[in-house]
Amino acid sequence: QYVAPQEYTLTVSTLNEHISNIFIYDASDENSPLIEGGLAGNAQVVAETNIKISPDVEDGYVLQSLTVLNGDNESVQLENHMSDGGYYSFTMPASNVTISATAEEETPVTGDEYALFTGNLVEGDYVICYNNNTWTAAMKNTVESNRLSYTDVIPNDNKIITDDASIVWHIAPSGNYWTIFNVAENKYAAATGTKNQAQMLAVGTDDKALWTVSGTETYEFVNKANAAANVNSNLRNNGTYGFACYATGTGGALSLYKLVNTT
């Protein structure tokens, strides 16, 4: 005997006045919104359905928050596809869910432009990032818990606009190696000789401040001193702690955004 799949209630509850619409779709049928009109309302949805959310924010405003909570008031994981499709998505749990969203006035972005770099590495100023498809972390010049800390950035059209000197690094050749220098701190990104650690050094000729670099789309930085000591030596990001010399199983190769030459 056929038993219909159990459905759960999807509710759009809270929108502020600067969100003119929010469209909720079953990804398998994007021509038919689950909630007509796109504003507050509810729909019945089967668990495991891939739900797409496309917020329509008034000109001059940007999305401030988008929250999906299950029946236990816990966050449901959202995937961000705004840069490549203009929507967010989540998998409907075996629970009722509530969607809420807010918008805030857009603040003009100021700063220098850094464009996603590909090809053989050349000397220049870069923002060094780890991308994991849902967020992008930029390496900072501050040391916390024996790692270089990071800040979230949002590339737009493969570009980062920033005036934050703490995330700008001058990468330059040094013999057969490369150095990673932060002008604001006047120090070099370096290993410590111990796995899962990093530091800032005043001297760029120390083996701990020298790196081999490979790659033409994403880049592997391998530390000279740690490699010689046969300990974790790849510059990677651990989303909990930050950038340091980790094993290759942590994070992934790094993306580089190079300062655009405006002269």
Side-chain angles (χ1 to χ4, degrees):
Q1 183 179 0
Y2 172 75
V3 178
Q6 184 172 354
E7 294 182 332
Y8 298 88
T9 302
L10 182 154
T11 301
V12 176
S13 66
T14 305
L15 302 172
N16 70 9
E17 68 270 24
H18 303 299
I19 298 177
S20 54
N21 249 322
I22 185 164
F23 299 98
I24 315 294
Y25 296 94
D26 179 338
S28 65
D29 183 14
E30 297 183 21
N31 294 319
S32 301
L34 290 172
I35 300 175
E36 291 295 333
L39 296 173
N42 58 70
Q44 300 302 115
V45 180
V46 175
E48 300 301 318
T49 299
N50 184 18
I51 302 298
K52 296 176 68 172
I53 305 175
S54 181
D56 189 1
V57 182
E58 291 179 5
D59 289 344
Y61 290 82
V62 294
L63 190 68
Q64 180 181 31
S65 68
L66 177 62
T67 305
V68 180
L69 300 178
N70 65 19
D72 293 323
N73 211 36
E74 299 169 334
S75 294
V76 176
Q77 182 175 347
L78 280 169
E79 297 290 336
N80 186 341
H81 305 275
M82 292 300 291
S83 63
D84 60 0
Y87 67 92
Y88 294 83
S89 67
F90 71 94
T91 301
M92 184 72 180
S95 165
N96 297 336
V97 300
T98 302
I99 299 171
S100 59
T102 61
E104 63 182 352
E105 191 170 3
E106 185 173 13
T107 302
V109 177
T110 60
D112 292 324
E113 180 180 300
Y114 296 79
L116 183 65
F117 179 79
T118 59
N120 294 322
L121 186 61
V122 296
E123 182 174 354
D125 290 340
Y126 295 86
V127 178
I128 300 173
C129 295
Y130 169 58
N131 300 317
N132 75 348
N133 297 321
T134 59
W135 62 280
T136 302
M139 187 170 80
K140 294 186 66 175
N141 63 9
T142 53
V143 179
E144 299 177 8
S145 302
N146 295 313
R147 283 100 165 173
L148 295 175
S149 58
Y150 66 89
T151 187
D152 293 351
V153 293
I154 303 176
N156 184 17
D157 194 24
N158 289 327
K159 295 176 183 178
I160 294 172
I161 308 296
T162 185
D163 56 7
D164 183 356
S166 73
I167 64 172
V168 176
W169 302 88
H170 186 79
I171 302 176
S174 179
N176 294 325
Y177 297 89
W178 296 81
T179 56
I180 307 170
F181 180 71
N182 183 265
V183 175
E185 189 67 13
N186 197 30
K187 290 183 179 180
Y188 296 83
T192 67
T194 301
K195 67 179 183 179
N196 303 346
Q197 292 188 7
Q199 63 176 330
M200 297 289 290
L201 286 182
V203 179
T205 55
D206 190 304
D207 283 359
K208 295 183 179 68
L210 297 175
W211 307 81
T212 61
V213 183
S214 61
T216 56
E217 294 186 359
T218 56
Y219 298 83
E220 287 284 9
F221 289 76
V222 178
N223 185 260
K224 181 180 180 181
N226 276 33
N230 198 30
V231 295
N232 296 351
S233 55
N234 289 69
L235 183 62
R236 295 291 186 94
N237 174 271
N238 177 313
T240 302
Y241 297 106
F243 288 81
C245 285
Y246 295 110
T248 55
T250 297
L254 304 177
S255 297
L256 300 178
Y257 293 79
K258 187 176 185 295
L259 179 65
V260 175
N261 187 353
T262 57
T263 58

